[in-house]
Amino acid sequence: MLEIKDLHASINGKEILKGVNLTIRAGEIHAIMGPNGAGKSTLAWVLSGNPAVEVTHGEIIFNGKNLLEMSPEDRSREGIFLSFQYPVEIPGVSMVNFMRTAVNEQRKYKNLEPLSAADFLRLMREKKELVEMDNKLTSRSVNEGFSGGEKKRNEIFQMAMLEPKLAILDETDSGLDIDALRIVANGVNKLKRPDNATLVITHYQRLLDYIIPDFVHVFYDGRIVKTGDKNLALELEEKGYDWIKKEVETPVEQ
Amino acid sequence: MEQQYIDFYKESHTLIKQHSAALMNNFRDAAFEKFERLGFPTSKLENYKYTDMSAPLSIEYGLNINRLQFQINPYDVFKCDVPAIHSYLFFVLNDTFYPVNSTAKQHLPEGVIIESLRTAAENYPQLVEKYLGKLSNEKNDGWIAFNETFAQDGFFMYVPKNVKLSKPVQLINIMRSDVDFMANSHNLIILEEGAKAQLLVCDHTMDNVHFFSNRLTEVFAGKNAVYEHYKLENTNILNTNVSNLLIHQEDSSNVLTNVITLHNGMTRNGIEMIIDGENCESLLCGMVIGDKNQDVDNFTEIVHKKPNSQSRELFKYVLDDSSKGAFAGKIQVAKNAQKTSSFQTNKNILLSKTAKMRTKPQLEIYADDVKCSHGATIGQLDEAAKFYMQSRGISESEARLLLMFAFTADVMDNIRIDALRDRMKLLVEKRLRGELSRCEGCMIC
Ligand SMILES: Nc1ncnc2c1ncn2[C@@H]1O[C@H](COP(=O)(O)OP(=O)(O)OP(=O)(O)O)[C@@H](O)[C@H]1O
Ligand SMILES: [Mg+2]
């Protein structure tokens, strides 16, 4: 589904991603862990097409298409979804209007008729239930004045509305209380299908108790430096990152 | 440029007066002398720093001082496609009030007068004399003096004590001419104690010639009166409009003005709210959507003369291409106007590198126990918000549109007529989409 080959990217001229290689197949769940500033969010930005990040080398193939040539909106319409680490507030744009526009633009891309008002509201209701989202939130402006946890829950709600093929969850667990974490994780699991995939970026092994990954990658200094199964997450939780750093840095000194 | 108008007045003042009302003629010569002295305001004047009218003034305009009627019935021409707004509908054709059609007249509540100013001045001289020119005569402004020199007629509305109009009054200014044409009109609006009225003024052009309209409006809001004044300008690039709106408020009156420019050539709105009473509320809003070479200057003044009143001001501009915007917000608080609160906001978005915005707050506060603030910003669309929307599959153009629309939302929310607000939102959205590229009949009704 997704193939990233030797990806290099920079922000404001500073190289952040230094040769990322990653393959994700349909049905898989991948987790990325790694210290602050390693470049995890930058990778998520590149996948979703944030113009602030400049790709200097490498390629990304998504379902047979060259992702890097696509506009952010077309990537979304092709099935990429990013749950933002820091969701953006948009005062004056209502959640309903935002979601309706998004859903209908996605439908247009697939040559489908726009949803009728009734069908749209039904869909909203159904997906709100899935993530147990408060009705009041959807009647407000996008993320405006939402608490940290509410914003994260709203991201999963949007994901449920758009049913992406590849969902990238960038620290969706941080800021969530225990109950919310379970609800969000359940939401993700309920949306899981054999033909879609999930990339979870997290600092905490706790989330991986709910969303069980097939692969765990350690991200360090702009690259994936180690890959394992879910046990790697447990090991990281226990030992921290120092041993990884040593492992990575030793060969350089040789 | 003044000279031709000065000569013209000298030649034809008898004729001008003959086709106007005595009460308007009373101050005509004095106004003319003032205009001779002041001339047209130029950008050398502090209050007109960003208004350069030399280009539209270099055009030769015809004036209709003989008051020739033109041969259309606006009630036939302007059929409402969307009868969402039930209003009392009136027309001023160029500068002439169109005789009231009898059905509109019939449904006005007892005692309410809506007429041509000229007729009203003849039929109700005492009433008109008490108010006419009382705000404008004292002003030292070249445009106002010019208006008082040449205006022969206008719109008159009188709402007697405690009468509340349940429907808005809609006034459509239509410009229609085969040659470049200038119209000057003087409007007078009187709300007695406890009266309530909403006026919606729409500017409309029918022909692709150069039009210059100079509108002077005096509003008197008595004690406890509630008045809303909406101005919607949706003309075209050949149109120049100077509007001076002077409002006088007495105790506990509540006045809202909301001036919206969607299309025009050059516009100068001079708005002055004189809060001459206690416990008044004044809300002054406006919005501009500019592109091409549009040029819009809103020059506002709020004068707090008495204690315990509140004023709030909110202006938003979205400027594209080479359009220009200017906003001046002058707030004066007199020495005894304690406990005044006055808040002003002006926010602007520039969509292109060549669009220009000048904003200037100006607070003159002589009282010591007041709450006043002002804030102005000039920026671009929020890139992070735009990307967030795109990442959900919303196209860039649609994301920009949503952001621009959101930006104007609070000005729209200050339209207190529900049907008008819905209609305006639709118009603004169309305008932002670029679908409303010219005036297409009356867009409101
Ligand atoms: N706009 C920017 N200008 C300069 N440097 C930036 C910018 N945005 C991010 N960076 C840098 O890029 C590096 C990678 O940041 P990124 O957000 O991808 O890290 P991360 O792995 O997601 O960290 P965290 O775990 O804290 O979320 C950091 O050193 C950060 O300071
Ligand atoms: Mg991050």
Side-chain angles (χ1 to χ4, degrees), chain B residues 78-85 87 89 170 172 423 442-445:
Chain B
F78 286 87
K79 284 279 185 281
C80 291
D81 307 328
V82 186
I85 299 171
S87 66
L89 185 61
Q170 187 177 1
I172 302 181
R423 188 82 183 117
C442 177
M443 302 307 296
I444 283 299
C445 60

Side-chain angles (χ1 to χ4, degrees), chain A residues 45 48-50 73 76-77 81-82 84 90-93 98 101-102 105-106 143 155 158, chain B residues 382-385 387-398 402-403 405-407 409:
Chain A
W45 287 134
S48 57
N50 189 329
E73 53 269 38
S76 164
R77 295 160 184 173
F81 179 89
L82 171 62
F84 282 51
I90 317 178
V93 176
F98 171 64
T101 311
E105 290 227 2
Q106 303 253 5
N143 290 324
E155 296 293 287
Q158 292 173 40
Chain B
D382 182 349
E383 287 296 320
F387 174 67
Y388 187 69
M389 290 196 251
Q390 285 177 270
S391 78
R392 299 315 186 227
I394 298 173
S395 67
E396 188 184 2
S397 59
E398 198 66 22
L402 282 171
L403 286 175
F405 195 64
F407 177 73

